[in-house]
Amino acid sequence: MLFPWTAVFIACGVGLWFALPFEPGIVFYAVTAALAAGAVLLRAYGPELAYPLAIILGCVALGVLASGLRAHSVAAPMLEFRYYGPVQGRIIGIDRSQSDKLRLTLDNVVLRDVAVGRLPMKVRVSVQGTEAPPEPGQVVMMTAFLAAPEGPSEPGGFDFRRMAFFDQLGAVGYTRSPVLLWQAPEPGAQVINRLRSRLSAAIMAAVPGDAGAFASGVMTGDRAGITQDTVKALRDSNLAHLLAISGMNMAFLTGFVFMLVRYGMALWPALALRVNAKKVAAVVGFAVALFYLLLSGANVATERAFLMVSVMLGAVLFDRRALTLRTVALAAVVLLVAQPESLAEPGFQLSFAATVALIAGFGGLELRVVQGQMPRWMIPVFTLVLSSVLAGAATAPYAAAHFNRFTDYGLLANLLTVPVMSVLMAAGAVAALLAPLGLAAPAYWVMEISSRWILFIAHWIAGLDGAVTPIAAPGPWVLPLITLGGIWAVLWQGRLRWMGAAPAILGFALWAIVARPVVLISSDGGLAGIMGAEGRALSGPRGAGFTAQSWLENDGDLALQKEAAGRAGFSGPRGARLFQIEGWRIVMVGGKGAAAALAPACAMADLVVLAASVEPLPVPEGCLVIGREALRDTGAISIKADATQLRLQPVRDAPRIWIGPRPVRGEIVLRRDAEAPAAIALQ
């Protein structure tokens, strides 16, 4: 029973590496490797009482080493400046942005006047529209605005730059010009992506509208046709997991294929008597699962599901028990060692939380006793309700922490759609078998009816009053404590397992009293947010839309940016917005009139945040200014204040590998009794 703990301790090592306030060097890794070697020797030759300690130390060291190796193996150039000009590259991915714009991910990138050694490996560009639908493998050209991926919108927030670093995404941007085809796909290039695109097009041609886009998304992983309105409805009804291609999708598909092959062979007695149909079905099911993994794009949830299905089918081949916590632990170990960064991703946390809860919940229930006490027709209903309750309860804290919302009617939505989802997946498999024969029309009809029902339920549930309860973002220790409590309760044996309630309760208590930053400044200096009685007031109704949305969602606030900009807290004209905190006067200066507004702002403010470069502007003597140059080093800033000092906490406060070569700053403290600077500070 010790093996499941190995995944926990490896995860601790991964978390430790990502939490380091410095970038480890060769000495750090040498010491860690020596610690791992010592743990191996202790396990091999030490006393039996030392075995648990050896396993703990070895697994933590393995997590640290795997993280460092992964980071340095995927390191690739990130664009170090803002770029405008021609962009050429090969399409390797197509999806949609939050503004419903089509996005193209390109590799083999060529940028004008950028040396080969400084070129990003991948770039992602939002496009206004194309005359012909783009296809993976095409080499295209456009004129685009590009910049490096942004860091967190606030200290401790979601770090898009870190995620982009591990995805080797070196620049993001947009284009207003047409996308021109430079070269058709080469033979054999992007085979899986092109196959996904063609299968998606075939499904959407047979199943029109949003239903076809949804069916294509769950069958192929191609979500480019799904509108943001549909995505929002699925998210607000707790049905977004249907698009994740996770364990449920993989189980439905492979389970249907397994059943089809096994019982299909049983219809041929001469074959069934000579061949183990169950094991043949397991081999075919594995092949289908592998194909589905590759077709769907192999995200973390799909990889976890594939590993689980592979172990389960392997157990069938070797006549072993298929679903156990050891199976889950094995999948976690493989993912954490191969992709340590996945530990912080919502897909990893949600999928493993649901899987562990289902296995532990059903394992601790005497199903035979329960089944003997109810009519046979009630058993599927009981199983559906119990699995929805277990999975929903286990994933609720992680969904609330990452997406800042609790879906009040999510259980009802899942009860009404999950059975239909199994029909949709089965119909998709039948359509794939019959399409080459031209007989797939009935299967497509079933897919359409199933998809329309799911989308109807999603929009209905999302439209109910109180469908979504906003949740403030938790502090850094909340999820680790809740996770520790849950893992202890599941893995420990005997009455001591109830000790897991203590860290979980502590985690929820810390979440309940979490304090949000009073003042936030965006990384470009163009937007500020100050917490007030009505919620966070924003300095402007437009601009930095993603940052504004992130701040409000992390506050547990469902208001739109325009609504938040109308709240009390700011005064002054658009280009010089003034606010106060504990007697400190701060002015946000920006726009075309920045040069003219700077001197008056300096005269009335203790601190000026300038959404422009400081150097070409005439800055009055003694004026304290944070300009664009300083913000490039600090990133977004949160501000705390009292009567005597102003404390500025930057996002970029640790020199980690994904931040790049630019310098970082620690906390900046400004004091009223300090001598006024001669000219400019923090520039």
Side-chain angles (χ1 to χ4, degrees):
M1 197 59 188
L2 191 59
F3 180 74
W5 286 99
T6 60
V8 178
F9 298 132
I10 291 174
C12 290
V14 172
L16 174 64
W17 186 88
F18 278 97
L20 290 174
F22 59 89
E23 185 57 38
I26 186 64
V27 174
F28 177 90
Y29 290 119
V31 172
T32 306
L35 182 64
V40 172
L41 293 176
L42 182 62
R43 176 63 179 83
Y45 302 107
E48 187 173 348
L49 289 176
Y51 287 178
L53 176 62
I55 292 173
I56 293 173
L57 292 178
C59 289
V60 171
L62 176 59
V64 171
L65 293 173
S67 301
L69 178 62
R70 171 71 172 171
H72 287 278
S73 65
V74 302
M78 282 195 172
L79 203 61
E80 299 174 7
F81 52 89
R82 294 187 178 274
Y83 173 87
Y84 173 71
V87 178
Q88 176 183 310
R90 180 182 63 173
I91 299 175
I92 59 172
I94 304 172
D95 64 348
R96 286 191 179 273
S97 67
Q98 289 190 341
S99 59
D100 235 6
K101 296 287 193 306
L102 200 66
R103 293 192 304 195
L104 306 179
T105 302
L106 312 175
D107 69 355
N108 298 338
V109 179
V110 179
L111 305 178
R112 183 182 60 191
D113 298 330
V114 178
V116 174
R118 300 176 65 191
L119 285 173
M121 290 191 67
K122 301 176 188 175
V123 302
R124 193 170 67 197
V125 184
S126 295
V127 301
Q128 297 294 325
T130 56
E131 295 182 0
E135 296 182 8
Q138 291 178 338
V139 179
V140 295
M141 292 187 66
M142 68 200 76
T143 301
F145 297 84
L146 296 178
E150 285 283 345
S153 60
E154 61 178 84
F158 167 68
D159 195 342
F160 174 65
R161 185 181 177 95
R162 187 178 72 184
M163 185 184 76
F165 170 83
F166 283 99
D167 288 340
Q168 298 183 314
L169 183 65
V172 294
Y174 64 94
T175 179
R176 295 192 180 100
S177 66
V179 177
L180 305 176
L181 176 63
W182 179 255
Q183 182 180 324
E186 296 181 357
Q190 295 291 301
V191 175
I192 295 296
N193 284 340
R194 289 165 63 188
L195 176 61
R196 181 190 305 117
S197 181
R198 291 175 182 176
L199 290 175
S200 178
I203 293 173
M204 287 192 286
V207 182
D210 288 343
F214 176 80
S216 170
V218 299
M219 293 302 302
T220 70
D222 182 359
R223 307 178 195 174
I226 302 177
T227 64
Q228 286 301 308
D229 180 59
T230 298
V231 172
K232 183 178 184 300
L234 291 167
R235 183 181 65 228
D236 291 349
S237 59
N238 196 29
L239 296 178
H241 65 93
L242 300 181
L243 284 174
I245 307 190
S246 56
M248 185 176 68
N249 307 55
M250 185 76 75
F252 283 155
L253 183 62
T254 54
F256 175 76
V257 171
F258 182 91
M259 181 188 68
L260 189 66
V261 173
R262 184 179 182 186
Y263 292 104
M265 292 179 65
L267 296 176
W268 191 355
L271 180 63
L273 291 173
R274 292 172 174 81
V275 177
N276 189 321
K278 186 177 179 181
K279 295 187 177 183
V280 172
V283 173
V284 176
F286 174 80
V288 170
L290 178 60
F291 174 75
Y292 193 41
L293 171 72
L294 298 174
L295 183 68
S296 64
N299 60 47
V300 171
T302 315
E303 290 177 338
R304 192 274 308 162
F306 172 73
L307 288 171
M308 290 286 296
V309 166
S310 299
V311 173
M312 181 184 70
L313 295 175
V316 171
L317 288 174
F318 293 99
D319 300 315
R320 301 281 184 175
R321 186 181 174 190
L323 287 175
T324 66
L325 290 175
R326 295 176 66 87
T327 306
V328 184
L330 178 60
V333 168
V334 172
L335 277 178
L336 288 170
V337 172
Q339 298 178 12
E341 72 277 9
S342 64
L343 177 66
E345 296 179 5
F348 181 95
Q349 297 174 11
L350 291 167
S351 61
F352 275 99
T355 305
V356 169
L358 289 171
I359 292 177
F362 279 97
L365 187 68
E366 293 292 341
L367 280 180
R368 293 182 180 179
V369 175
V370 174
Q371 291 172 357
Q373 296 176 350
M374 65 176 62
R376 180 171 296 181
W377 64 269
M378 278 287 293
I379 295 174
V381 177
F382 172 79
T383 303
L384 172 63
V385 172
L386 181 60
S387 59
S388 296
V389 170
L390 289 172
T395 58
Y398 302 95
H402 289 290
F403 307 120
N404 303 112
R405 61 191 63 216
F406 176 77
T407 49
D408 297 54
Y409 306 117
L411 176 60
L412 175 61
N414 278 275
L415 291 175
L416 293 174
T417 57
V418 168
V420 179
M421 187 67 183
S422 64
V423 175
L424 172 60
M425 298 299 296
V430 172
L433 292 174
L434 298 181
L437 304 176
L439 302 175
Y444 282 135
W445 179 80
V446 174
M447 291 176 67
E448 180 176 2
I449 298 300
S450 302
S451 297
R452 290 190 184 282
W453 171 258
I454 292 171
L455 294 182
F456 166 75
I457 294 298
H459 285 282
W460 172 56
I461 293 292
L464 294 175
D465 290 337
V468 175
T469 298
I471 304 291
W477 287 102
V478 169
L479 284 185
L481 285 170
I482 293 173
T483 303
L484 173 62
I487 289 175
W488 184 278
V490 169
L491 295 185
W492 202 261
Q493 301 296 313
R495 294 182 179 180
L496 289 180
R497 68 169 51 193
W498 298 109
M499 290 177 57
I505 292 173
L506 177 59
F508 283 112
L510 292 175
W511 198 343
I513 61 173
V514 64
R516 295 286 299 143
V518 177
V519 176
L520 290 168
I521 307 293
S522 67
S523 61
D524 62 358
L527 186 71
I530 178 170
M531 188 65 76
E534 302 175 89
R536 190 172 302 278
L538 298 180
S539 60
R542 294 185 302 274
F546 177 79
T547 297
Q549 180 184 355
S550 297
W551 290 350
L552 293 171
E553 288 182 349
N554 289 339
D555 291 337
D557 191 342
L558 295 179
L560 300 177
Q561 181 176 356
K562 186 176 181 180
E563 298 170 355
R567 294 169 176 168
F570 289 88
S571 61
R574 178 180 176 183
R577 302 288 281 160
L578 169 69
F579 66 94
Q580 297 189 49
I581 172 175
E582 297 293 337
W584 292 78
R585 297 165 62 86
I586 303 174
V587 177
M588 307 289 297
V589 175
K592 296 181 179 179
L598 183 57
C602 286
M604 64 175 169
D606 299 297
L607 175 67
V608 175
V609 180
L610 181 65
S613 179
V614 174
E615 292 179 357
L617 299 180
V619 179
E621 188 78 12
C623 184
L624 191 60
V625 180
I626 300 179
R628 183 169 290 169
E629 295 86 352
L631 288 167
R632 287 175 183 169
D633 294 342
T634 63
I637 296 173
S638 69
I639 300 179
K640 298 179 181 178
D642 57 33
T644 60
Q645 61 184 16
L646 202 65
R647 308 181 74 90
L648 284 67
Q649 180 61 51
V651 161
R652 295 166 57 96
D653 60 353
R656 299 310 304 268
I657 187 171
W658 53 83
I659 289 180
R662 291 190 64 84
V664 298
R665 293 179 181 267
E667 186 181 58
I668 303 163
V669 181
L670 308 177
R671 294 182 174 84
R672 285 194 184 278
D673 55 359
E675 184 179 348
I680 305 167
L682 311 179
Q683 64 175 348

